[in-house]
Amino acid sequence: MPEQDDGLNKQQVLIIGAGNAGLCAGIAALQAGAISVAILDSAPRDLRGGNSALTKSMRFSWDDRAFIATLLRDPGQYGLDTILAGRPVYTDAQYFDDWLGVSGDQVDTALIKSITRRSHGTTAWMRAFGQRWVPRPDPLPGDVPVVFEGGGQGLQARNFAEFERLGGTVHYDSTVTDIERLSGDRFLVRGTGGTFPVVCDALVLASGGFEGDPRARERHLGGQWRDVKLRGVPFNNGAPLEAAVALGADTAGNWRKCHATPQGIGLPDYVLPRQMHESHLLTRYAFPLGIVVNREGRRFFDESAGYSNLTYVSLGQKIMEQPGRIAFQIFDGKVLEAGALPLGYLGDPAALTVRSLEEGAERLGIDAVRLRDEVDRLNKAGGDPVSPVADVSVRTPKRLESPPFLFVPVVSGLTFTYGGLSVTTDAQVRGGGKPIEGLYAAGVIVGGLYDEGYPAGTGLMAGAVLGRAAGTAAAGHAARTGGN
Ligand SMILES: Cc1cc2nc3c(=O)[nH]c(=O)nc-3n(C[C@H](O)[C@H](O)[C@H](O)COP(=O)(O)OP(=O)(O)OC[C@H]3O[C@@H](n4cnc5c(N)ncnc54)[C@H](O)[C@@H]3O)c2cc1C
């Protein structure tokens, strides 16, 4: 076992994973006075950033519209009334209700409540260390009105810059395979790459879920998920999660479920951090404006059950249960004429604009008779015509009648897995129901945050809140137990 007192092999605080959660932990640990803080990451430097680099927005609460202005680099440039249209405040209580409204039963409500309560303060903390936002260019009702400047790539560039400015080090091409608990509440971390082994006084696990490992997906989620396409990076192999469980960490949440959403059928097998723009164009979340059918021509999902940023995961999960694991979103001429569909839909080479439902069905291999029945039933139900405005279409029955029709084939893309570690609100990993001294977890590796659906923007927020808590607590633990 290495016991060098200097250099890489001995760290006060060691973090596995340089996503948003790991970098927030690193920044908080350095701010709290930790002397040596290092992050190990599987990715090479030019592919750094994790799934966090592919994101866009983070959901936080605010009870004062002036707060939104503080997040913008040049608030005078924008009209706050326009940015906040329809949502002047978003309270902790609304946030908590939105989260629980879609999440199912197998969640840790105390943990979720503590995250929603700390979302405002943590967002202000991120602003203070350099994060910046811009108004959301394509707001859907129910969305947070601002997104990260430069999207997830901008978020991560600023996170890395601050972590390194404070003196933290990131070691790339360093894949963790195994963790051992040593006496004195320290940890030994093994892996592949020149970095290993490393001993640390406090360890933060922030390596995402097991979404990148086909065998783990098959084991926990079921056979149909083995060959699913990933919306994110291929590096999140779940090894640190498994290693933590092997050393006695408690698990939490629903290990049989995951976050998956409708995507264009051009989605590759996985996406790299530098492909953020391509990735954003592949999302297919305008379904409340139309209908979604399977190959049998049947609807299998209530497209108008809620804002798409609350229901999109339920649709992604259901697509995996349909024949051929494919579905078709169909929009009518009024929606097309109104220009209501995002750019990605219009540029999708697999999308078809046709004069009739029958033509679209025939060309895409959908049962045309059943599709016609389904649409006739819908139109007879006497609903309002499909509205080109998403908030009007929500919770109203719809009609689909004016040609031309746009048919958009969609598949499910896996974003991340839900099962993970049990943590306290201070991000301490539990073992046998009690906190394991010196071991912390943040981000997607934490279980108990989601079960069925997922409210958009909460992944980054949970990672930031728990990352900050983990880094602060890890620095305190390292200082108490001796440090280097
Ligand atoms: C396309 C896409 C869009 C998304 N959009 C949003 C959004 O707009 N808002 C939102 O809140 N959430 C969004 N999410 C979800 C979001 O990515 C996650 O909630 C959040 O980024 C997770 O952060 P993390 O730090 O836990 O994981 P990640 O950012 O994935 O970081 C994990 C890191 O751990 C490293 N790692 C993994 N295994 C190992 C190992 N064995 N050894 C060493 N290193 C390892 C990886 O290389 C990676 O860098 C999106 C996800 C995707 C894929």
Side-chain angles (χ1 to χ4, degrees):
M1 184 203 317
E3 277 293 343
Q4 286 107 311
D5 279 344
D6 52 14
L8 171 65
N9 299 100
K10 173 86 174 65
Q11 295 290 322
Q12 263 201 331
V13 175
L14 184 68
I15 298 162
I16 306 175
N20 177 59
L23 286 163
C24 284
I27 292 166
L30 288 160
Q31 287 180 341
I35 297 159
S36 58
V37 181
I39 305 185
L40 305 174
D41 200 289
S42 297
R45 192 184 186 289
D46 65 332
L47 296 180
R48 70 180 187 173
N51 282 350
S52 301
L54 296 167
T55 62
K56 199 185 261 184
S57 73
M58 184 173 83
R59 186 179 290 248
F60 56 85
S61 59
W62 72 95
D63 54 12
D64 172 5
R65 47 186 260 136
F67 179 67
I68 299 294
T70 69
L71 302 178
L72 307 171
R73 193 182 293 282
D74 180 8
Q77 190 189 333
Y78 311 103
L80 257 196
D81 286 338
T82 316
I83 298 173
L84 290 171
R87 183 170 276 184
V89 296
Y90 187 53
T91 62
D92 293 351
Q94 282 172 304
Y95 191 171
F96 183 64
D97 286 350
D98 278 349
W99 195 320
L100 287 202
V102 293
S103 66
D105 295 335
Q106 234 172 300
V107 289
D108 181 341
T109 48
L111 184 61
I112 292 171
K113 186 166 251 174
S114 84
I115 290 167
T116 53
R117 273 212 201 111
R118 288 180 283 175
S119 68
H120 181 90
T122 302
T123 303
W125 171 72
M126 293 172 83
R127 164 71 178 79
F129 76 63
Q131 287 302 343
R132 291 293 181 277
W133 286 256
V134 292
R136 186 182 275 276
D138 50 352
L140 285 173
D143 276 336
V144 174
V146 289
V147 296
F148 285 110
E149 189 180 274
Q153 288 176 343
L155 161 77
Q156 283 294 76
R158 291 183 291 269
N159 277 342
F160 277 112
E162 180 63 2
F163 177 66
E164 285 165 352
R165 190 188 71 79
L166 292 172
T169 318
V170 186
H171 298 276
Y172 301 98
D173 298 300
S174 302
T175 300
V176 171
T177 55
D178 186 34
I179 302 168
E180 195 180 314
R181 196 173 175 190
L182 305 176
S183 59
D185 295 324
R186 293 183 313 149
F187 296 88
L188 171 75
V189 175
R190 294 194 190 86
T192 54
T195 315
F196 299 100
V198 189
V199 172
C200 60
D201 297 321
L203 180 62
V204 180
L205 308 173
S207 48
F210 55 87
E211 53 272 0
D213 179 359
R215 274 176 305 177
R217 292 201 302 263
E218 184 171 31
R219 187 161 71 247
H220 297 295
L221 305 175
Q224 75 272 34
W225 294 92
R226 189 186 161 95
D227 302 321
V228 71
K229 293 177 175 201
L230 297 184
R231 293 183 59 213
V233 298
F235 307 113
N236 296 355
N237 68 358
L241 171 57
E242 258 185 54
V245 174
L247 66 76
D250 293 341
T251 60
N254 190 340
W255 282 65
R256 295 182 317 283
K257 280 270 162 74
C258 61
H259 183 293
T261 65
Q263 301 286 308
I265 60 169
L267 181 69
D269 288 343
Y270 56 81
V271 178
L272 296 169
R274 59 178 172 230
Q275 295 173 307
M276 180 189 78
H277 293 290
E278 293 87 325
S279 147
H280 289 175
L281 287 173
L282 282 164
T283 58
R284 297 289 178 265
Y285 304 157
F287 50 85
L289 302 176
I291 65 167
V292 189
V293 299
N294 61 17
R295 270 216 189 288
E296 292 164 351
R298 291 192 195 285
R299 289 169 69 223
F300 56 90
F301 174 77
D302 180 359
E303 305 88 348
S304 305
Y307 297 136
S308 64
N309 57 27
L310 297 175
T311 62
Y312 66 152
V313 170
S314 304
L315 177 55
Q317 291 169 347
K318 283 201 157 69
I319 290 172
M320 290 298 283
E321 296 160 14
Q322 305 311 310
R325 293 183 217 144
I326 192 165
F328 304 87
Q329 297 182 5
I330 309 175
F331 306 91
D332 86 352
K334 286 196 251 17
V335 172
L336 301 184
E337 205 180 307
L341 292 175
L343 269 183
Y345 277 80
L346 307 174
D348 185 342
L352 288 183
T353 307
V354 290
R355 298 302 309 165
S356 70
L357 292 170
E358 285 73 13
E359 182 190 346
E362 196 182 316
R363 287 177 59 185
L364 288 167
I366 304 166
D367 186 320
V369 176
R370 287 216 183 111
L371 175 62
R372 170 51 65 196
D373 282 355
E374 189 77 85
V375 172
D376 284 350
R377 195 165 44 243
L378 204 65
N379 291 348
K380 267 194 217 118
D384 293 335
V386 173
S387 164
V389 185
D391 60 344
V392 177
S393 79
V394 163
R395 297 199 172 84
T396 62
K398 51 181 78 259
R399 277 192 273 156
L400 200 73
E401 50 194 5
S402 325
F405 299 96
L406 182 73
F407 279 63
V408 185
V410 292
V411 292
S412 187
L414 172 57
T415 325
F416 62 84
T417 46
Y418 285 170
L421 300 175
S422 168
V423 299
T424 67
T425 52
D426 283 334
Q428 268 193 289
V429 176
R430 294 189 183 95
K434 295 197 198 92
I436 299 176
E437 286 299 315
L439 187 62
Y440 307 86
V444 161
I445 197 170
V446 169
L449 296 175
Y450 312 107
D451 176 358
E452 294 288 335
Y454 163 95
T458 55
L460 286 176
M461 195 70 256
V465 167
L466 292 177
R468 184 187 185 196
T472 309
H477 175 85
R480 279 194 305 281
T481 55
N484 58 1

